PDB file of all heavy atoms in Angstrom:
ATOM      1  N   SER S1372      38.128 -12.836 -92.061  1.00 94.00           N
ATOM      2  CA  SER S1372      38.330 -12.565 -93.489  1.00 94.00           C
ATOM      3  C   SER S1372      36.996 -12.268 -94.155  1.00 94.00           C
ATOM      4  O   SER S1372      36.874 -11.353 -94.969  1.00 94.00           O
ATOM      5  CB  SER S1372      38.991 -13.777 -94.154  1.00 94.00           C
ATOM      6  OG  SER S1372      40.157 -14.171 -93.472  1.00 94.00           O
ATOM      7  N   VAL S1373      35.990 -13.073 -93.823  1.00 95.00           N
ATOM      8  CA  VAL S1373      34.625 -12.858 -94.306  1.00 95.00           C
ATOM      9  C   VAL S1373      33.674 -13.076 -93.142  1.00 95.00           C
ATOM     10  O   VAL S1373      33.698 -14.124 -92.499  1.00 95.00           O
ATOM     11  CB  VAL S1373      34.262 -13.829 -95.455  1.00 95.00           C
ATOM     12  CG1 VAL S1373      32.817 -13.605 -95.889  1.00 95.00           C
ATOM     13  CG2 VAL S1373      35.201 -13.653 -96.634  1.00 95.00           C
ATOM     14  N   GLY S1374      32.846 -12.077 -92.847  1.00 95.00           N
ATOM     15  CA  GLY S1374      31.850 -12.200 -91.786  1.00 95.00           C
ATOM     16  C   GLY S1374      30.477 -12.423 -92.386  1.00 95.00           C
ATOM     17  O   GLY S1374      30.028 -11.658 -93.237  1.00 95.00           O
ATOM     18  N   ILE S1375      29.811 -13.506 -91.958  1.00 95.00           N
ATOM     19  CA  ILE S1375      28.484 -13.835 -92.470  1.00 95.00           C
ATOM     20  C   ILE S1375      27.487 -13.762 -91.319  1.00 95.00           C
ATOM     21  O   ILE S1375      27.614 -14.486 -90.330  1.00 95.00           O
ATOM     22  CB  ILE S1375      28.447 -15.239 -93.100  1.00 95.00           C
ATOM     23  CG1 ILE S1375      29.452 -15.335 -94.261  1.00 95.00           C
ATOM     24  CG2 ILE S1375      27.034 -15.571 -93.589  1.00 95.00           C
ATOM     25  CD1 ILE S1375      29.520 -16.704 -94.904  1.00 95.00           C
ATOM     26  N   ALA S1376      26.500 -12.881 -91.430  1.00 94.00           N
ATOM     27  CA  ALA S1376      25.491 -12.704 -90.375  1.00 94.00           C
ATOM     28  C   ALA S1376      24.165 -13.299 -90.824  1.00 94.00           C
ATOM     29  O   ALA S1376      23.855 -13.356 -92.015  1.00 94.00           O
ATOM     30  CB  ALA S1376      25.320 -11.218 -90.054  1.00 94.00           C
ATOM     31  N   MET S1377      23.390 -13.754 -89.840  1.00 91.00           N
ATOM     32  CA  MET S1377      22.054 -14.284 -90.118  1.00 91.00           C
ATOM     33  C   MET S1377      21.045 -13.134 -90.081  1.00 91.00           C
ATOM     34  O   MET S1377      21.129 -12.250 -89.232  1.00 91.00           O
ATOM     35  CB  MET S1377      21.675 -15.349 -89.087  1.00 91.00           C
ATOM     36  CG  MET S1377      22.706 -16.446 -88.905  1.00 91.00           C
ATOM     37  SD  MET S1377      22.975 -17.426 -90.391  1.00 91.00           S
ATOM     38  CE  MET S1377      21.485 -18.419 -90.387  1.00 91.00           C
ATOM     39  N   ASN S1378      20.081 -13.163 -90.974  1.00 90.00           N
ATOM     40  CA  ASN S1378      19.082 -12.100 -91.037  1.00 90.00           C
ATOM     41  C   ASN S1378      18.218 -12.045 -89.779  1.00 90.00           C
ATOM     42  O   ASN S1378      17.677 -10.998 -89.425  1.00 90.00           O
ATOM     43  CB  ASN S1378      18.196 -12.293 -92.269  1.00 90.00           C
ATOM     44  CG  ASN S1378      17.341 -11.074 -92.568  1.00 90.00           C
ATOM     45  OD1 ASN S1378      17.809  -9.950 -92.478  1.00 90.00           O
ATOM     46  ND2 ASN S1378      16.084 -11.302 -92.901  1.00 90.00           N
ATOM     47  N   SER S1379      18.098 -13.190 -89.083  1.00 85.00           N
ATOM     48  CA  SER S1379      17.300 -13.247 -87.865  1.00 85.00           C
ATOM     49  C   SER S1379      18.062 -12.725 -86.651  1.00 85.00           C
ATOM     50  O   SER S1379      17.504 -12.638 -85.558  1.00 85.00           O
ATOM     51  CB  SER S1379      16.859 -14.691 -87.589  1.00 85.00           C
ATOM     52  OG  SER S1379      18.002 -15.538 -87.444  1.00 85.00           O
ATOM     53  N   GLY S1380      19.336 -12.397 -86.833  1.00 84.00           N
ATOM     54  CA  GLY S1380      20.173 -11.945 -85.728  1.00 84.00           C
ATOM     55  C   GLY S1380      19.978 -10.476 -85.394  1.00 84.00           C
ATOM     56  O   GLY S1380      19.079  -9.795 -85.907  1.00 84.00           O
ATOM     57  N   SER S1381      20.857  -9.980 -84.530  1.00 83.00           N
ATOM     58  CA  SER S1381      20.773  -8.588 -84.096  1.00 83.00           C
ATOM     59  C   SER S1381      21.182  -7.639 -85.221  1.00 83.00           C
ATOM     60  O   SER S1381      21.935  -8.008 -86.126  1.00 83.00           O
ATOM     61  CB  SER S1381      21.676  -8.367 -82.882  1.00 83.00           C
ATOM     62  OG  SER S1381      23.037  -8.507 -83.243  1.00 83.00           O
ATOM     63  N   ASP S1382      20.684  -6.412 -85.146  1.00 87.00           N
ATOM     64  CA  ASP S1382      21.011  -5.404 -86.157  1.00 87.00           C
ATOM     65  C   ASP S1382      22.505  -5.093 -86.153  1.00 87.00           C
ATOM     66  O   ASP S1382      23.099  -4.821 -87.202  1.00 87.00           O
ATOM     67  CB  ASP S1382      20.221  -4.120 -85.908  1.00 87.00           C
ATOM     68  CG  ASP S1382      18.728  -4.295 -86.194  1.00 87.00           C
ATOM     69  OD1 ASP S1382      18.393  -5.205 -86.972  1.00 87.00           O
ATOM     70  OD2 ASP S1382      17.925  -3.534 -85.632  1.00 87.00           O
ATOM     71  N   ILE S1383      23.112  -5.132 -84.967  1.00 89.00           N
ATOM     72  CA  ILE S1383      24.547  -4.853 -84.863  1.00 89.00           C
ATOM     73  C   ILE S1383      25.349  -5.916 -85.595  1.00 89.00           C
ATOM     74  O   ILE S1383      26.307  -5.614 -86.314  1.00 89.00           O
ATOM     75  CB  ILE S1383      24.980  -4.784 -83.381  1.00 89.00           C
ATOM     76  CG1 ILE S1383      24.307  -3.589 -82.698  1.00 89.00           C
ATOM     77  CG2 ILE S1383      26.498  -4.672 -83.255  1.00 89.00           C
ATOM     78  CD1 ILE S1383      24.603  -3.475 -81.223  1.00 89.00           C
ATOM     79  N   ALA S1384      24.951  -7.183 -85.442  1.00 89.00           N
ATOM     80  CA  ALA S1384      25.645  -8.275 -86.126  1.00 89.00           C
ATOM     81  C   ALA S1384      25.496  -8.141 -87.638  1.00 89.00           C
ATOM     82  O   ALA S1384      26.457  -8.326 -88.397  1.00 89.00           O
ATOM     83  CB  ALA S1384      25.109  -9.621 -85.648  1.00 89.00           C
ATOM     84  N   LYS S1385      24.280  -7.805 -88.083  1.00 91.00           N
ATOM     85  CA  LYS S1385      24.052  -7.657 -89.526  1.00 91.00           C
ATOM     86  C   LYS S1385      24.860  -6.492 -90.094  1.00 91.00           C
ATOM     87  O   LYS S1385      25.339  -6.548 -91.229  1.00 91.00           O
ATOM     88  CB  LYS S1385      22.558  -7.469 -89.804  1.00 91.00           C
ATOM     89  CG  LYS S1385      21.750  -8.745 -89.606  1.00 91.00           C
ATOM     90  CD  LYS S1385      20.307  -8.592 -90.056  1.00 91.00           C
ATOM     91  CE  LYS S1385      19.489  -7.826 -89.063  1.00 91.00           C
ATOM     92  NZ  LYS S1385      18.044  -7.833 -89.420  1.00 91.00           N
ATOM     93  N   GLY S1386      25.008  -5.447 -89.291  1.00 91.00           N
ATOM     94  CA  GLY S1386      25.807  -4.305 -89.732  1.00 91.00           C
ATOM     95  C   GLY S1386      27.287  -4.627 -89.800  1.00 91.00           C
ATOM     96  O   GLY S1386      28.015  -4.090 -90.637  1.00 91.00           O
ATOM     97  N   ALA S1387      27.735  -5.519 -88.918  1.00 91.00           N
ATOM     98  CA  ALA S1387      29.152  -5.872 -88.867  1.00 91.00           C
ATOM     99  C   ALA S1387      29.534  -6.896 -89.926  1.00 91.00           C
ATOM    100  O   ALA S1387      30.697  -6.981 -90.341  1.00 91.00           O
ATOM    101  CB  ALA S1387      29.505  -6.425 -87.485  1.00 91.00           C
ATOM    102  N   GLY S1388      28.573  -7.693 -90.387  1.00 91.00           N
ATOM    103  CA  GLY S1388      28.868  -8.747 -91.351  1.00 91.00           C
ATOM    104  C   GLY S1388      29.095  -8.212 -92.757  1.00 91.00           C
ATOM    105  O   GLY S1388      28.525  -7.193 -93.156  1.00 91.00           O
ATOM    106  N   ASP S1389      29.929  -8.912 -93.508  1.00 93.00           N
ATOM    107  CA  ASP S1389      30.138  -8.569 -94.917  1.00 93.00           C
ATOM    108  C   ASP S1389      28.976  -9.076 -95.763  1.00 93.00           C
ATOM    109  O   ASP S1389      28.650  -8.506 -96.805  1.00 93.00           O
ATOM    110  CB  ASP S1389      31.444  -9.195 -95.426  1.00 93.00           C
ATOM    111  CG  ASP S1389      32.650  -8.745 -94.629  1.00 93.00           C
ATOM    112  OD1 ASP S1389      32.914  -7.539 -94.616  1.00 93.00           O
ATOM    113  OD2 ASP S1389      33.314  -9.592 -94.008  1.00 93.00           O
ATOM    114  N   ILE S1390      28.382 -10.187 -95.307  1.00 93.00           N
ATOM    115  CA  ILE S1390      27.296 -10.845 -96.034  1.00 93.00           C
ATOM    116  C   ILE S1390      26.187 -11.163 -95.037  1.00 93.00           C
ATOM    117  O   ILE S1390      26.460 -11.553 -93.904  1.00 93.00           O
ATOM    118  CB  ILE S1390      27.789 -12.140 -96.709  1.00 93.00           C
ATOM    119  CG1 ILE S1390      28.879 -11.821 -97.740  1.00 93.00           C
ATOM    120  CG2 ILE S1390      26.653 -12.907 -97.362  1.00 93.00           C
ATOM    121  CD1 ILE S1390      29.632 -13.042 -98.225  1.00 93.00           C
ATOM    122  N   VAL S1391      24.936 -11.008 -95.454  1.00 93.00           N
ATOM    123  CA  VAL S1391      23.791 -11.370 -94.614  1.00 93.00           C
ATOM    124  C   VAL S1391      22.981 -12.454 -95.334  1.00 93.00           C
ATOM    125  O   VAL S1391      22.600 -12.279 -96.494  1.00 93.00           O
ATOM    126  CB  VAL S1391      22.884 -10.150 -94.335  1.00 93.00           C
ATOM    127  CG1 VAL S1391      21.657 -10.572 -93.518  1.00 93.00           C
ATOM    128  CG2 VAL S1391      23.663  -9.067 -93.596  1.00 93.00           C
ATOM    129  N   LEU S1392      22.745 -13.567 -94.637  1.00 92.00           N
ATOM    130  CA  LEU S1392      21.927 -14.643 -95.202  1.00 92.00           C
ATOM    131  C   LEU S1392      20.458 -14.287 -94.964  1.00 92.00           C
ATOM    132  O   LEU S1392      19.921 -14.499 -93.876  1.00 92.00           O
ATOM    133  CB  LEU S1392      22.274 -15.981 -94.549  1.00 92.00           C
ATOM    134  CG  LEU S1392      23.713 -16.483 -94.756  1.00 92.00           C
ATOM    135  CD1 LEU S1392      23.904 -17.836 -94.086  1.00 92.00           C
ATOM    136  CD2 LEU S1392      24.036 -16.580 -96.242  1.00 92.00           C
ATOM    137  N   VAL S1393      19.819 -13.744 -95.981  1.00 91.00           N
ATOM    138  CA  VAL S1393      18.463 -13.210 -95.850  1.00 91.00           C
ATOM    139  C   VAL S1393      17.474 -14.297 -95.441  1.00 91.00           C
ATOM    140  O   VAL S1393      16.574 -14.077 -94.629  1.00 91.00           O
ATOM    141  CB  VAL S1393      18.014 -12.555 -97.175  1.00 91.00           C
ATOM    142  CG1 VAL S1393      16.578 -12.065 -97.075  1.00 91.00           C
ATOM    143  CG2 VAL S1393      18.942 -11.401 -97.525  1.00 91.00           C
ATOM    144  N   LYS S1394      17.629 -15.511 -95.974  1.00 90.00           N
ATOM    145  CA  LYS S1394      16.691 -16.598 -95.689  1.00 90.00           C
ATOM    146  C   LYS S1394      17.093 -17.413 -94.457  1.00 90.00           C
ATOM    147  O   LYS S1394      16.430 -18.404 -94.141  1.00 90.00           O
ATOM    148  CB  LYS S1394      16.578 -17.516 -96.905  1.00 90.00           C
ATOM    149  CG  LYS S1394      15.988 -16.836 -98.137  1.00 90.00           C
ATOM    150  CD  LYS S1394      15.859 -17.807 -99.294  1.00 90.00           C
ATOM    151  CE  LYS S1394      15.249 -17.143-100.520  1.00 90.00           C
ATOM    152  NZ  LYS S1394      15.134 -18.086-101.657  1.00 90.00           N
ATOM    153  N   ASN S1395      18.173 -17.034 -93.791  1.00 90.00           N
ATOM    154  CA  ASN S1395      18.645 -17.739 -92.592  1.00 90.00           C
ATOM    155  C   ASN S1395      18.912 -19.221 -92.852  1.00 90.00           C
ATOM    156  O   ASN S1395      18.785 -20.055 -91.951  1.00 90.00           O
ATOM    157  CB  ASN S1395      17.624 -17.602 -91.447  1.00 90.00           C
ATOM    158  CG  ASN S1395      17.424 -16.167 -91.035  1.00 90.00           C
ATOM    159  OD1 ASN S1395      18.378 -15.455 -90.753  1.00 90.00           O
ATOM    160  ND2 ASN S1395      16.174 -15.720 -91.011  1.00 90.00           N
ATOM    161  N   ASP S1396      19.266 -19.539 -94.080  1.00 91.00           N
ATOM    162  CA  ASP S1396      19.547 -20.911 -94.478  1.00 91.00           C
ATOM    163  C   ASP S1396      21.059 -21.125 -94.470  1.00 91.00           C
ATOM    164  O   ASP S1396      21.791 -20.471 -95.217  1.00 91.00           O
ATOM    165  CB  ASP S1396      18.989 -21.177 -95.880  1.00 91.00           C
ATOM    166  CG  ASP S1396      18.996 -22.658 -96.249  1.00 91.00           C
ATOM    167  OD1 ASP S1396      19.856 -23.390 -95.712  1.00 91.00           O
ATOM    168  OD2 ASP S1396      18.163 -23.064 -97.063  1.00 91.00           O
ATOM    169  N   LEU S1397      21.521 -22.047 -93.619  1.00 92.00           N
ATOM    170  CA  LEU S1397      22.963 -22.278 -93.504  1.00 92.00           C
ATOM    171  C   LEU S1397      23.583 -22.800 -94.792  1.00 92.00           C
ATOM    172  O   LEU S1397      24.801 -22.692 -94.977  1.00 92.00           O
ATOM    173  CB  LEU S1397      23.242 -23.264 -92.369  1.00 92.00           C
ATOM    174  CG  LEU S1397      23.023 -22.736 -90.950  1.00 92.00           C
ATOM    175  CD1 LEU S1397      23.217 -23.855 -89.938  1.00 92.00           C
ATOM    176  CD2 LEU S1397      23.967 -21.583 -90.650  1.00 92.00           C
ATOM    177  N   ARG S1398      22.766 -23.364 -95.668  1.00 91.00           N
ATOM    178  CA  ARG S1398      23.307 -23.833 -96.941  1.00 91.00           C
ATOM    179  C   ARG S1398      23.880 -22.688 -97.766  1.00 91.00           C
ATOM    180  O   ARG S1398      24.674 -22.902 -98.683  1.00 91.00           O
ATOM    181  CB  ARG S1398      22.224 -24.573 -97.730  1.00 91.00           C
ATOM    182  CG  ARG S1398      21.866 -25.933 -97.160  1.00 91.00           C
ATOM    183  CD  ARG S1398      20.708 -26.569 -97.880  1.00 91.00           C
ATOM    184  NE  ARG S1398      19.482 -25.803 -97.697  1.00 91.00           N
ATOM    185  CZ  ARG S1398      18.309 -26.135 -98.251  1.00 91.00           C
ATOM    186  NH1 ARG S1398      18.228 -27.192 -99.024  1.00 91.00           N
ATOM    187  NH2 ARG S1398      17.233 -25.383 -98.022  1.00 91.00           N
ATOM    188  N   GLY S1399      23.480 -21.466 -97.411  1.00 91.00           N
ATOM    189  CA  GLY S1399      24.050 -20.307 -98.084  1.00 91.00           C
ATOM    190  C   GLY S1399      25.539 -20.162 -97.838  1.00 91.00           C
ATOM    191  O   GLY S1399      26.261 -19.602 -98.666  1.00 91.00           O
ATOM    192  N   VAL S1400      26.025 -20.694 -96.687  1.00 93.00           N
ATOM    193  CA  VAL S1400      27.459 -20.607 -96.375  1.00 93.00           C
ATOM    194  C   VAL S1400      28.257 -21.455 -97.353  1.00 93.00           C
ATOM    195  O   VAL S1400      29.217 -20.985 -97.979  1.00 93.00           O
ATOM    196  CB  VAL S1400      27.733 -21.065 -94.927  1.00 93.00           C
ATOM    197  CG1 VAL S1400      29.235 -21.029 -94.639  1.00 93.00           C
ATOM    198  CG2 VAL S1400      26.987 -20.191 -93.939  1.00 93.00           C
ATOM    199  N   SER S1401      27.865 -22.730 -97.499  1.00 91.00           N
ATOM    200  CA  SER S1401      28.568 -23.596 -98.455  1.00 91.00           C
ATOM    201  C   SER S1401      28.350 -23.101 -99.881  1.00 91.00           C
ATOM    202  O   SER S1401      29.245 -23.201-100.727  1.00 91.00           O
ATOM    203  CB  SER S1401      28.094 -25.050 -98.315  1.00 91.00           C
ATOM    204  OG  SER S1401      26.690 -25.144 -98.439  1.00 91.00           O
ATOM    205  N   GLY S1402      27.168 -22.534-100.146  1.00 90.00           N
ATOM    206  CA  GLY S1402      26.911 -21.989-101.471  1.00 90.00           C
ATOM    207  C   GLY S1402      27.817 -20.819-101.794  1.00 90.00           C
ATOM    208  O   GLY S1402      28.318 -20.686-102.915  1.00 90.00           O
ATOM    209  N   LEU S1403      28.069 -19.968-100.799  1.00 91.00           N
ATOM    210  CA  LEU S1403      28.973 -18.828-100.996  1.00 91.00           C
ATOM    211  C   LEU S1403      30.392 -19.278-101.284  1.00 91.00           C
ATOM    212  O   LEU S1403      31.090 -18.701-102.120  1.00 91.00           O
ATOM    213  CB  LEU S1403      28.945 -17.935 -99.751  1.00 91.00           C
ATOM    214  CG  LEU S1403      27.722 -17.044 -99.598  1.00 91.00           C
ATOM    215  CD1 LEU S1403      27.670 -16.453 -98.190  1.00 91.00           C
ATOM    216  CD2 LEU S1403      27.739 -15.930-100.626  1.00 91.00           C
TER     217      LEU S1403
END
């Protein structure tokens, strides 16, 4: 339903995600 990719991950994963956590902080998930 919602794909969240980490900024430190692969370019393919970031392209596939709906949201990218730029700071790679997992707290962004609960914040979203």
